[in-house]
Amino acid sequence: MVLSREIGYGTARAAHRAGELVRVRRGAYLHDDLPAQPWARREVVALAHCVAVARQLPSRPVLSHESAALIHGAWVGPTAAITHLAVSAPPHKPDVADIRRHHAPDLTDDEITVVNRLRVTTLERTALDCALSLPPRRALPIVDSILRMLARPNRFERERSEVAMSAAREGLRTRVADLGRRAGVIHARAVMEHADGFSESPGETDLRWIAVSRGLPRPVLQLRVATDEGVFYTDIGWEFGGASPRGVAPRGVAAEFDGAGKYAETSGPGSLFAEKQREDAIRATGLIVHRYVDRHLRDVDAVFARLCRGFPQSLVDGLRPVAALMHLP
Protein backbone atom coordinates (compact mmCIF):
# COMPACT_ATOMS: atom_id res chain seq x y z
CA MET A 1 0.00 0.00 0.00
CA VAL A 2 1.35 3.41 -1.03
CA LEU A 3 -0.15 6.62 0.33
CA SER A 4 0.30 9.94 -1.45
CA ARG A 5 1.02 11.72 1.81
CA GLU A 6 4.01 9.42 2.38
CA ILE A 7 5.70 9.65 -1.03
CA GLY A 8 4.40 13.01 -2.17
CA TYR A 9 1.27 13.77 -4.15
CA GLY A 10 3.16 14.67 -7.31
CA THR A 11 5.21 11.47 -7.21
CA ALA A 12 2.09 9.36 -6.67
CA ARG A 13 0.20 11.00 -9.54
CA ALA A 14 3.16 10.57 -11.90
CA ALA A 15 3.54 6.89 -11.00
CA HIS A 16 -0.18 6.38 -11.52
CA ARG A 17 -0.07 8.03 -14.95
CA ALA A 18 2.90 5.83 -15.87
CA GLY A 19 0.98 2.70 -14.96
CA GLU A 20 3.27 1.86 -12.06
CA LEU A 21 0.58 2.35 -9.43
CA VAL A 22 -3.10 1.37 -9.35
CA ARG A 23 -5.44 3.78 -7.58
CA VAL A 24 -7.43 2.15 -4.76
CA ARG A 25 -9.09 5.31 -3.45
CA ARG A 26 -8.13 8.96 -3.28
CA GLY A 27 -4.58 9.18 -1.99
CA ALA A 28 -4.00 5.41 -1.86
CA TYR A 29 -2.37 3.17 -4.46
CA LEU A 30 -1.08 -0.35 -5.07
CA HIS A 31 1.87 -1.40 -7.19
CA ASP A 32 0.64 -2.72 -10.55
CA ASP A 33 1.47 -6.37 -9.93
CA LEU A 34 -2.09 -7.52 -9.25
CA PRO A 35 -3.28 -11.08 -9.98
CA ALA A 36 -4.52 -11.84 -13.49
CA GLN A 37 -7.70 -13.65 -12.40
CA PRO A 38 -10.59 -11.17 -12.13
CA TRP A 39 -11.87 -12.56 -8.79
CA ALA A 40 -8.39 -12.44 -7.27
CA ARG A 41 -7.81 -8.89 -8.53
CA ARG A 42 -11.14 -7.73 -7.06
CA GLU A 43 -10.33 -9.33 -3.72
CA VAL A 44 -6.88 -7.76 -3.49
CA VAL A 45 -8.28 -4.32 -4.35
CA ALA A 46 -11.11 -4.72 -1.80
CA LEU A 47 -8.65 -5.70 0.91
CA ALA A 48 -6.37 -2.81 -0.06
CA HIS A 49 -9.31 -0.45 0.17
CA CYS A 50 -9.90 -1.56 3.78
CA VAL A 51 -6.21 -1.04 4.60
CA ALA A 52 -6.22 2.38 2.94
CA VAL A 53 -9.25 3.58 4.90
CA ALA A 54 -7.77 2.29 8.16
CA ARG A 55 -4.45 4.07 7.51
CA GLN A 56 -5.92 7.33 6.25
CA LEU A 57 -8.43 7.96 9.03
CA PRO A 58 -7.03 9.83 12.04
CA SER A 59 -8.68 7.50 14.57
CA ARG A 60 -8.22 3.73 14.93
CA PRO A 61 -11.35 2.52 13.13
CA VAL A 62 -13.02 -0.85 13.64
CA LEU A 63 -13.85 -2.52 10.35
CA SER A 64 -17.15 -4.39 10.40
CA HIS A 65 -19.80 -6.18 8.33
CA GLU A 66 -18.59 -7.33 4.90
CA SER A 67 -15.23 -5.60 5.36
CA ALA A 68 -14.53 -7.55 8.54
CA ALA A 69 -15.75 -10.75 6.87
CA LEU A 70 -13.36 -10.16 3.97
CA ILE A 71 -10.41 -9.59 6.29
CA HIS A 72 -11.23 -12.72 8.30
CA GLY A 73 -11.24 -14.72 5.05
CA ALA A 74 -14.99 -15.39 4.87
CA TRP A 75 -16.86 -15.90 1.62
CA VAL A 76 -17.85 -12.39 0.57
CA GLY A 77 -19.45 -12.08 -2.84
CA PRO A 78 -18.79 -9.26 -5.33
CA THR A 79 -19.64 -5.96 -3.69
CA ALA A 80 -19.18 -2.28 -4.37
CA ALA A 81 -15.89 -0.72 -3.28
CA ILE A 82 -17.18 0.24 0.15
CA THR A 83 -15.42 -0.17 3.48
CA HIS A 84 -17.69 -0.71 6.47
CA LEU A 85 -16.85 0.74 9.89
CA ALA A 86 -18.48 0.29 13.30
CA VAL A 87 -18.70 3.55 15.27
CA SER A 88 -19.89 4.15 18.82
CA ALA A 89 -21.59 7.49 18.14
CA PRO A 90 -24.04 8.33 15.34
CA PRO A 91 -22.15 9.77 12.33
CA HIS A 92 -22.40 13.56 12.49
CA LYS A 93 -21.95 14.04 8.76
CA PRO A 94 -22.66 12.01 5.60
CA ASP A 95 -20.10 9.39 4.66
CA VAL A 96 -18.01 9.69 1.55
CA ALA A 97 -19.09 7.37 -1.24
CA ASP A 98 -16.69 4.54 -0.41
CA ILE A 99 -17.10 4.46 3.39
CA ARG A 100 -20.18 3.36 5.33
CA ARG A 101 -20.29 3.93 9.07
CA HIS A 102 -22.62 1.76 11.16
CA HIS A 103 -23.77 3.07 14.51
CA ALA A 104 -22.87 0.28 16.95
CA PRO A 105 -23.23 1.58 20.53
CA ASP A 106 -23.47 -2.00 21.81
CA LEU A 107 -20.08 -3.04 20.40
CA THR A 108 -17.87 -4.14 23.30
CA ASP A 109 -14.10 -4.47 23.55
CA ASP A 110 -14.31 -8.27 23.54
CA GLU A 111 -16.09 -8.08 20.17
CA ILE A 112 -13.05 -6.41 18.60
CA THR A 113 -9.96 -8.27 17.49
CA VAL A 114 -6.87 -7.56 15.39
CA VAL A 115 -6.20 -9.32 12.09
CA ASN A 116 -3.10 -8.35 10.12
CA ARG A 117 -2.79 -5.18 12.20
CA LEU A 118 -6.37 -4.13 11.37
CA ARG A 119 -8.98 -3.73 14.09
CA VAL A 120 -12.04 -5.72 13.07
CA THR A 121 -15.14 -7.15 14.69
CA THR A 122 -14.78 -10.75 15.86
CA LEU A 123 -16.04 -13.66 13.79
CA GLU A 124 -19.20 -13.98 15.88
CA ARG A 125 -20.02 -10.27 15.78
CA THR A 126 -19.27 -10.14 12.06
CA ALA A 127 -21.66 -13.04 11.40
CA LEU A 128 -24.35 -11.27 13.42
CA ASP A 129 -23.89 -7.92 11.66
CA CYS A 130 -23.97 -9.48 8.19
CA ALA A 131 -27.02 -11.63 8.98
CA LEU A 132 -28.89 -8.55 10.22
CA SER A 133 -27.99 -6.19 7.40
CA LEU A 134 -27.71 -8.28 4.23
CA PRO A 135 -30.30 -10.17 2.18
CA PRO A 136 -30.21 -13.85 3.24
CA ARG A 137 -28.75 -15.00 -0.07
CA ARG A 138 -25.69 -12.76 0.49
CA ALA A 139 -25.49 -13.35 4.24
CA LEU A 140 -25.66 -17.15 4.21
CA PRO A 141 -22.27 -17.76 2.49
CA ILE A 142 -20.59 -15.40 4.95
CA VAL A 143 -22.16 -17.09 7.97
CA ASP A 144 -21.49 -20.57 6.55
CA SER A 145 -17.80 -19.76 6.17
CA ILE A 146 -17.59 -18.17 9.62
CA LEU A 147 -19.28 -21.22 11.13
CA ARG A 148 -16.74 -23.32 9.26
CA MET A 149 -13.91 -21.32 10.84
CA LEU A 150 -15.44 -21.58 14.31
CA ALA A 151 -16.29 -25.31 14.26
CA ARG A 152 -13.65 -26.64 11.82
CA PRO A 153 -15.85 -29.52 10.62
CA ASN A 154 -14.39 -32.63 8.99
CA ARG A 155 -16.55 -34.92 6.87
CA PHE A 156 -14.53 -37.89 8.14
CA GLU A 157 -15.24 -36.99 11.78
CA ARG A 158 -18.94 -36.36 11.50
CA GLU A 159 -19.94 -36.87 15.11
CA ARG A 160 -17.27 -34.57 16.54
CA SER A 161 -17.96 -32.01 13.85
CA GLU A 162 -21.70 -31.99 14.50
CA VAL A 163 -21.11 -31.34 18.21
CA ALA A 164 -18.76 -28.44 17.48
CA MET A 165 -21.11 -27.06 14.83
CA SER A 166 -24.11 -27.27 17.12
CA ALA A 167 -22.31 -25.34 19.84
CA ALA A 168 -21.13 -22.61 17.44
CA ARG A 169 -24.53 -22.29 15.78
CA GLU A 170 -26.29 -22.12 19.15
CA GLY A 171 -24.01 -19.29 20.15
CA LEU A 172 -25.00 -17.34 17.04
CA ARG A 173 -28.69 -18.12 17.56
CA THR A 174 -28.49 -16.85 21.13
CA ARG A 175 -26.97 -13.57 19.99
CA VAL A 176 -29.86 -13.05 17.58
CA ALA A 177 -32.45 -13.97 20.23
CA ASP A 178 -30.98 -11.41 22.62
CA LEU A 179 -31.73 -8.62 20.12
CA GLY A 180 -35.48 -8.78 20.58
CA ARG A 181 -37.47 -7.25 17.73
CA ARG A 182 -34.93 -4.97 16.09
CA ALA A 183 -34.80 -4.63 12.30
CA GLY A 184 -33.43 -7.64 10.44
CA VAL A 185 -33.91 -10.14 13.27
CA ILE A 186 -36.40 -12.35 11.42
CA HIS A 187 -34.05 -12.82 8.48
CA ALA A 188 -30.99 -13.14 10.72
CA ARG A 189 -32.70 -15.87 12.73
CA ALA A 190 -33.43 -17.82 9.53
CA VAL A 191 -29.83 -17.42 8.32
CA MET A 192 -28.41 -18.68 11.63
CA GLU A 193 -30.85 -21.59 11.64
CA HIS A 194 -29.82 -22.74 8.16
CA ALA A 195 -26.10 -21.95 8.37
CA ASP A 196 -23.89 -25.01 7.98
CA GLY A 197 -20.12 -25.15 8.19
CA PHE A 198 -20.01 -28.35 6.11
CA SER A 199 -20.51 -26.17 3.04
CA GLU A 200 -17.19 -26.12 1.18
CA SER A 201 -17.75 -23.21 -1.21
CA PRO A 202 -20.03 -20.21 -1.70
CA GLY A 203 -21.49 -21.94 -4.77
CA GLU A 204 -22.57 -24.92 -2.64
CA THR A 205 -24.16 -22.49 -0.18
CA ASP A 206 -26.00 -20.67 -2.95
CA LEU A 207 -27.32 -23.95 -4.32
CA ARG A 208 -28.57 -24.89 -0.85
CA TRP A 209 -30.17 -21.46 -0.40
CA ILE A 210 -32.11 -21.92 -3.64
CA ALA A 211 -33.39 -25.27 -2.37
CA VAL A 212 -34.41 -24.40 1.19
CA SER A 213 -35.68 -20.87 0.53
CA ARG A 214 -38.26 -22.35 -1.81
CA GLY A 215 -39.36 -25.00 0.65
CA LEU A 216 -37.31 -28.13 0.01
CA PRO A 217 -36.28 -29.97 3.20
CA ARG A 218 -32.93 -29.12 4.69
CA PRO A 219 -30.33 -31.30 2.92
CA VAL A 220 -27.37 -33.17 4.35
CA LEU A 221 -24.08 -31.53 3.39
CA GLN A 222 -21.21 -33.83 2.44
CA LEU A 223 -23.67 -36.74 2.25
CA ARG A 224 -21.83 -40.04 2.65
CA VAL A 225 -22.67 -42.49 -0.15
CA ALA A 226 -21.36 -46.06 -0.03
CA THR A 227 -21.00 -47.48 -3.57
CA ASP A 228 -19.48 -50.50 -5.26
CA GLU A 229 -16.48 -48.29 -6.10
CA GLY A 230 -15.98 -47.05 -2.55
CA VAL A 231 -17.34 -44.32 -0.30
CA PHE A 232 -17.98 -40.89 -1.83
CA TYR A 233 -19.45 -37.62 -0.56
CA THR A 234 -21.90 -35.39 -2.40
CA ASP A 235 -22.03 -31.63 -1.87
CA ILE A 236 -25.67 -31.72 -0.75
CA GLY A 237 -28.17 -34.55 -0.73
CA TRP A 238 -31.55 -35.84 0.38
CA GLU A 239 -32.29 -39.52 1.06
CA PHE A 240 -35.83 -40.88 1.00
CA GLY A 241 -35.19 -44.44 2.16
CA GLY A 242 -33.17 -47.58 1.51
CA ALA A 243 -31.36 -48.62 -1.64
CA SER A 244 -33.47 -48.71 -4.79
CA PRO A 245 -32.70 -50.73 -7.92
CA ARG A 246 -32.79 -49.15 -11.36
CA GLY A 247 -36.24 -48.62 -12.79
CA VAL A 248 -37.81 -48.05 -9.36
CA ALA A 249 -38.49 -44.72 -7.64
CA PRO A 250 -35.17 -43.05 -6.69
CA ARG A 251 -33.97 -43.32 -3.11
CA GLY A 252 -32.79 -39.75 -3.03
CA VAL A 253 -31.43 -36.67 -4.79
CA ALA A 254 -27.88 -35.32 -4.76
CA ALA A 255 -26.64 -31.98 -6.08
CA GLU A 256 -23.07 -31.09 -6.95
CA PHE A 257 -21.58 -27.66 -7.58
CA ASP A 258 -18.55 -27.37 -9.85
CA GLY A 259 -16.94 -24.00 -9.23
CA ALA A 260 -14.86 -22.34 -11.93
CA GLY A 261 -13.40 -19.52 -9.85
CA LYS A 262 -11.62 -18.99 -6.58
CA TYR A 263 -12.69 -22.18 -4.85
CA ALA A 264 -12.38 -24.59 -7.81
CA GLU A 265 -9.79 -27.34 -7.78
CA THR A 266 -7.42 -27.86 -10.69
CA SER A 267 -8.81 -30.41 -13.11
CA GLY A 268 -7.44 -32.41 -16.01
CA PRO A 269 -8.32 -35.39 -18.19
CA GLY A 270 -7.47 -37.87 -15.43
CA SER A 271 -9.54 -36.12 -12.80
CA LEU A 272 -12.46 -35.73 -15.22
CA PHE A 273 -12.46 -39.48 -15.89
CA ALA A 274 -12.28 -40.19 -12.15
CA GLU A 275 -15.16 -37.80 -11.55
CA LYS A 276 -17.29 -39.60 -14.15
CA GLN A 277 -16.57 -42.94 -12.48
CA ARG A 278 -17.51 -41.43 -9.13
CA GLU A 279 -20.77 -40.01 -10.45
CA ASP A 280 -21.71 -43.27 -12.18
CA ALA A 281 -21.10 -45.15 -8.94
CA ILE A 282 -23.30 -42.73 -6.98
CA ARG A 283 -26.10 -42.96 -9.55
CA ALA A 284 -25.94 -46.77 -9.35
CA THR A 285 -27.04 -46.57 -5.70
CA GLY A 286 -30.38 -45.09 -6.76
CA LEU A 287 -29.57 -41.42 -6.18
CA ILE A 288 -30.46 -38.88 -8.86
CA VAL A 289 -27.49 -36.54 -9.35
CA HIS A 290 -27.80 -32.95 -10.58
CA ARG A 291 -24.67 -30.96 -11.45
CA TYR A 292 -24.43 -27.18 -11.56
CA VAL A 293 -21.82 -24.56 -12.42
CA ASP A 294 -21.66 -20.82 -11.75
CA ARG A 295 -23.73 -19.76 -14.75
CA HIS A 296 -26.63 -22.00 -13.70
CA LEU A 297 -27.09 -20.11 -10.43
CA ARG A 298 -28.12 -16.98 -12.32
CA ASP A 299 -31.45 -18.63 -13.18
CA VAL A 300 -32.83 -19.53 -9.77
CA ASP A 301 -36.14 -20.86 -11.07
CA ALA A 302 -34.44 -23.24 -13.50
CA VAL A 303 -32.07 -24.51 -10.80
CA PHE A 304 -34.96 -25.15 -8.44
CA ALA A 305 -37.09 -26.87 -11.08
CA ARG A 306 -34.27 -29.29 -11.86
CA LEU A 307 -33.57 -29.90 -8.16
CA CYS A 308 -37.18 -30.98 -7.70
CA ARG A 309 -36.81 -33.77 -10.26
CA GLY A 310 -36.54 -36.98 -8.28
CA PHE A 311 -38.51 -35.77 -5.27
CA PRO A 312 -41.95 -37.32 -4.69
CA GLN A 313 -44.49 -35.27 -6.59
CA SER A 314 -46.70 -35.06 -3.50
CA LEU A 315 -43.87 -33.31 -1.67
CA VAL A 316 -43.14 -30.93 -4.57
CA ASP A 317 -46.83 -29.98 -4.88
CA GLY A 318 -46.91 -28.95 -1.23
CA LEU A 319 -43.77 -26.81 -1.21
CA ARG A 320 -44.05 -23.24 0.01
CA PRO A 321 -41.31 -20.57 -0.05
CA VAL A 322 -39.66 -19.67 3.26
CA ALA A 323 -40.33 -15.93 3.42
CA ALA A 324 -37.59 -15.23 5.97
CA LEU A 325 -34.95 -16.61 3.59
CA MET A 326 -36.17 -15.05 0.37
CA HIS A 327 -35.35 -11.36 0.73
CA LEU A 328 -35.25 -8.35 3.00
CA PRO A 329 -38.35 -6.11 3.01
Side-chain angles (χ1 to χ4, degrees), residues 156 223-234 251 274 277-285 287:
F156 304 112
L223 176 66
R224 185 180 187 275
V225 184
T227 77
D228 292 340
E229 300 296 328
V231 173
F232 300 108
Y233 295 83
T234 67
R251 74 175 184 91
Q277 286 186 308
R278 169 186 175 276
E279 184 171 323
D280 288 345
I282 292 173
R283 290 182 189 276
T285 69
L287 285 175

Short mmCIF file of all heavy atoms in Angstrom, two decimals, residues 156 223-234 251 274 277-285 287:
data_model
loop_
_atom_site.label_atom_id
_atom_site.label_comp_id
_atom_site.label_asym_id
_atom_site.label_seq_id
_atom_site.Cartn_x
_atom_site.Cartn_y
_atom_site.Cartn_z
N PHE A 156 -14.94 -36.57 7.68
CA PHE A 156 -14.53 -37.89 8.14
C PHE A 156 -14.67 -38.05 9.65
O PHE A 156 -14.45 -39.13 10.18
CB PHE A 156 -13.08 -38.17 7.72
CG PHE A 156 -12.85 -38.05 6.24
CD1 PHE A 156 -12.08 -37.02 5.72
CD2 PHE A 156 -13.44 -38.95 5.36
CE1 PHE A 156 -11.89 -36.90 4.35
CE2 PHE A 156 -13.25 -38.83 3.99
CZ PHE A 156 -12.48 -37.81 3.48
N LEU A 223 -22.93 -35.48 2.03
CA LEU A 223 -23.67 -36.74 2.25
C LEU A 223 -22.79 -37.93 1.90
O LEU A 223 -22.24 -38.03 0.81
CB LEU A 223 -24.93 -36.75 1.37
CG LEU A 223 -25.76 -38.04 1.41
CD1 LEU A 223 -26.38 -38.22 2.79
CD2 LEU A 223 -26.84 -38.00 0.33
N ARG A 224 -22.65 -38.85 2.85
CA ARG A 224 -21.83 -40.04 2.65
C ARG A 224 -22.61 -41.07 1.84
O ARG A 224 -23.73 -41.44 2.20
CB ARG A 224 -21.43 -40.64 4.00
CG ARG A 224 -20.48 -41.82 3.93
CD ARG A 224 -20.17 -42.31 5.34
NE ARG A 224 -19.13 -43.34 5.33
CZ ARG A 224 -19.36 -44.63 5.13
NH1 ARG A 224 -20.60 -45.06 4.92
NH2 ARG A 224 -18.37 -45.50 5.15
N VAL A 225 -22.02 -41.51 0.72
CA VAL A 225 -22.67 -42.49 -0.15
C VAL A 225 -21.74 -43.68 -0.35
O VAL A 225 -20.64 -43.53 -0.91
CB VAL A 225 -23.02 -41.87 -1.53
CG1 VAL A 225 -23.78 -42.89 -2.38
CG2 VAL A 225 -23.84 -40.59 -1.36
N ALA A 226 -22.15 -44.84 0.14
CA ALA A 226 -21.36 -46.06 -0.03
C ALA A 226 -21.73 -46.69 -1.37
O ALA A 226 -22.91 -46.97 -1.63
CB ALA A 226 -21.63 -47.04 1.11
N THR A 227 -20.76 -46.92 -2.23
CA THR A 227 -21.00 -47.48 -3.57
C THR A 227 -20.11 -48.70 -3.78
O THR A 227 -19.24 -49.01 -2.96
CB THR A 227 -20.68 -46.43 -4.66
OG1 THR A 227 -19.25 -46.35 -4.83
CG2 THR A 227 -21.21 -45.05 -4.30
N ASP A 228 -20.31 -49.35 -4.91
CA ASP A 228 -19.48 -50.50 -5.26
C ASP A 228 -18.03 -50.08 -5.52
O ASP A 228 -17.12 -50.91 -5.50
CB ASP A 228 -20.04 -51.21 -6.50
CG ASP A 228 -21.37 -51.89 -6.22
OD1 ASP A 228 -21.66 -52.14 -5.02
OD2 ASP A 228 -22.12 -52.16 -7.18
N GLU A 229 -17.82 -48.79 -5.81
CA GLU A 229 -16.48 -48.29 -6.10
C GLU A 229 -15.83 -47.64 -4.88
O GLU A 229 -14.73 -47.10 -4.98
CB GLU A 229 -16.55 -47.26 -7.25
CG GLU A 229 -17.11 -47.81 -8.55
CD GLU A 229 -16.22 -48.90 -9.15
OE1 GLU A 229 -14.99 -48.82 -8.97
OE2 GLU A 229 -16.76 -49.81 -9.80
N GLY A 230 -16.51 -47.66 -3.75
CA GLY A 230 -15.98 -47.05 -2.55
C GLY A 230 -16.94 -46.02 -1.98
O GLY A 230 -18.07 -45.87 -2.46
N VAL A 231 -16.51 -45.32 -0.96
CA VAL A 231 -17.34 -44.32 -0.30
C VAL A 231 -17.04 -42.94 -0.91
O VAL A 231 -15.89 -42.55 -1.04
CB VAL A 231 -17.07 -44.28 1.22
CG1 VAL A 231 -17.81 -43.11 1.86
CG2 VAL A 231 -17.49 -45.60 1.85
N PHE A 232 -18.11 -42.24 -1.29
CA PHE A 232 -17.98 -40.89 -1.83
C PHE A 232 -18.88 -39.94 -1.05
O PHE A 232 -19.76 -40.37 -0.29
CB PHE A 232 -18.36 -40.86 -3.32
CG PHE A 232 -17.51 -41.74 -4.18
CD1 PHE A 232 -18.02 -42.92 -4.72
CD2 PHE A 232 -16.20 -41.40 -4.46
CE1 PHE A 232 -17.22 -43.74 -5.52
CE2 PHE A 232 -15.40 -42.21 -5.24
CZ PHE A 232 -15.91 -43.39 -5.78
N TYR A 233 -18.66 -38.64 -1.25
CA TYR A 233 -19.45 -37.62 -0.56
C TYR A 233 -20.01 -36.66 -1.61
O TYR A 233 -19.28 -36.19 -2.49
CB TYR A 233 -18.59 -36.86 0.45
CG TYR A 233 -18.11 -37.73 1.59
CD1 TYR A 233 -16.97 -38.53 1.44
CD2 TYR A 233 -18.80 -37.76 2.79
CE1 TYR A 233 -16.53 -39.34 2.49
CE2 TYR A 233 -18.37 -38.57 3.84
CZ TYR A 233 -17.24 -39.36 3.67
OH TYR A 233 -16.82 -40.16 4.70
N THR A 234 -21.29 -36.37 -1.51
CA THR A 234 -21.90 -35.39 -2.40
C THR A 234 -22.00 -34.05 -1.70
O THR A 234 -22.08 -33.98 -0.47
CB THR A 234 -23.31 -35.83 -2.84
OG1 THR A 234 -24.19 -35.82 -1.71
CG2 THR A 234 -23.28 -37.23 -3.44
N ARG A 251 -34.04 -43.34 -4.57
CA ARG A 251 -33.97 -43.32 -3.11
C ARG A 251 -33.50 -41.98 -2.59
O ARG A 251 -33.40 -41.78 -1.38
CB ARG A 251 -33.02 -44.42 -2.63
CG ARG A 251 -31.53 -44.15 -2.83
CD ARG A 251 -30.70 -45.25 -2.19
NE ARG A 251 -29.28 -44.99 -2.26
CZ ARG A 251 -28.57 -44.35 -1.33
NH1 ARG A 251 -29.20 -43.87 -0.26
NH2 ARG A 251 -27.27 -44.17 -1.45
N ALA A 274 -12.01 -39.72 -13.50
CA ALA A 274 -12.28 -40.19 -12.15
C ALA A 274 -13.61 -39.64 -11.64
O ALA A 274 -14.37 -40.36 -10.98
CB ALA A 274 -11.14 -39.79 -11.21
N GLN A 277 -16.44 -41.65 -13.17
CA GLN A 277 -16.57 -42.94 -12.48
C GLN A 277 -17.27 -42.76 -11.14
O GLN A 277 -18.13 -43.56 -10.76
CB GLN A 277 -15.19 -43.56 -12.28
CG GLN A 277 -14.57 -44.13 -13.55
CD GLN A 277 -13.28 -44.87 -13.24
OE1 GLN A 277 -12.39 -44.33 -12.57
NE2 GLN A 277 -13.18 -46.11 -13.72
N ARG A 278 -16.89 -41.71 -10.43
CA ARG A 278 -17.51 -41.43 -9.13
C ARG A 278 -19.00 -41.18 -9.28
O ARG A 278 -19.82 -41.74 -8.55
CB ARG A 278 -16.82 -40.21 -8.51
CG ARG A 278 -17.50 -39.62 -7.29
CD ARG A 278 -16.79 -38.33 -6.87
NE ARG A 278 -17.48 -37.66 -5.79
CZ ARG A 278 -18.50 -36.83 -5.95
NH1 ARG A 278 -18.97 -36.58 -7.17
NH2 ARG A 278 -19.06 -36.24 -4.90
N GLU A 279 -19.36 -40.33 -10.27
CA GLU A 279 -20.77 -40.01 -10.45
C GLU A 279 -21.57 -41.23 -10.88
O GLU A 279 -22.69 -41.45 -10.40
CB GLU A 279 -20.93 -38.88 -11.47
CG GLU A 279 -22.38 -38.43 -11.63
CD GLU A 279 -22.50 -37.18 -12.47
OE1 GLU A 279 -21.63 -36.30 -12.36
OE2 GLU A 279 -23.48 -37.10 -13.24
N ASP A 280 -21.02 -42.05 -11.76
CA ASP A 280 -21.71 -43.27 -12.18
C ASP A 280 -21.96 -44.19 -10.99
O ASP A 280 -23.02 -44.82 -10.88
CB ASP A 280 -20.89 -44.00 -13.25
CG ASP A 280 -20.91 -43.28 -14.59
OD1 ASP A 280 -21.76 -42.39 -14.77
OD2 ASP A 280 -20.05 -43.60 -15.45
N ALA A 281 -20.96 -44.28 -10.11
CA ALA A 281 -21.10 -45.15 -8.94
C ALA A 281 -22.19 -44.63 -8.01
O ALA A 281 -22.98 -45.41 -7.45
CB ALA A 281 -19.77 -45.25 -8.20
N ILE A 282 -22.26 -43.32 -7.84
CA ILE A 282 -23.30 -42.73 -6.98
C ILE A 282 -24.68 -42.96 -7.58
O ILE A 282 -25.63 -43.33 -6.89
CB ILE A 282 -23.02 -41.23 -6.76
CG1 ILE A 282 -21.75 -41.05 -5.92
CG2 ILE A 282 -24.20 -40.55 -6.08
CD1 ILE A 282 -21.29 -39.61 -5.79
N ARG A 283 -24.80 -42.75 -8.88
CA ARG A 283 -26.10 -42.96 -9.55
C ARG A 283 -26.55 -44.43 -9.42
O ARG A 283 -27.75 -44.70 -9.29
CB ARG A 283 -26.00 -42.59 -11.02
CG ARG A 283 -25.86 -41.10 -11.30
CD ARG A 283 -25.81 -40.83 -12.80
NE ARG A 283 -25.46 -39.45 -13.09
CZ ARG A 283 -26.33 -38.44 -13.13
NH1 ARG A 283 -27.61 -38.67 -12.85
NH2 ARG A 283 -25.92 -37.22 -13.42
N ALA A 284 -25.60 -45.34 -9.43
CA ALA A 284 -25.94 -46.77 -9.35
C ALA A 284 -26.58 -47.14 -8.01
O ALA A 284 -27.23 -48.18 -7.90
CB ALA A 284 -24.70 -47.62 -9.59
N THR A 285 -26.41 -46.28 -6.99
CA THR A 285 -27.04 -46.57 -5.70
C THR A 285 -28.50 -46.17 -5.67
O THR A 285 -29.20 -46.43 -4.68
CB THR A 285 -26.32 -45.82 -4.57
OG1 THR A 285 -26.55 -44.41 -4.70
CG2 THR A 285 -24.83 -46.11 -4.58
N LEU A 287 -29.47 -42.87 -6.35
CA LEU A 287 -29.57 -41.42 -6.18
C LEU A 287 -29.61 -40.74 -7.55
O LEU A 287 -28.86 -41.10 -8.46
CB LEU A 287 -28.37 -40.88 -5.41
CG LEU A 287 -28.31 -41.11 -3.90
CD1 LEU A 287 -26.98 -40.61 -3.37
CD2 LEU A 287 -29.46 -40.41 -3.19
#
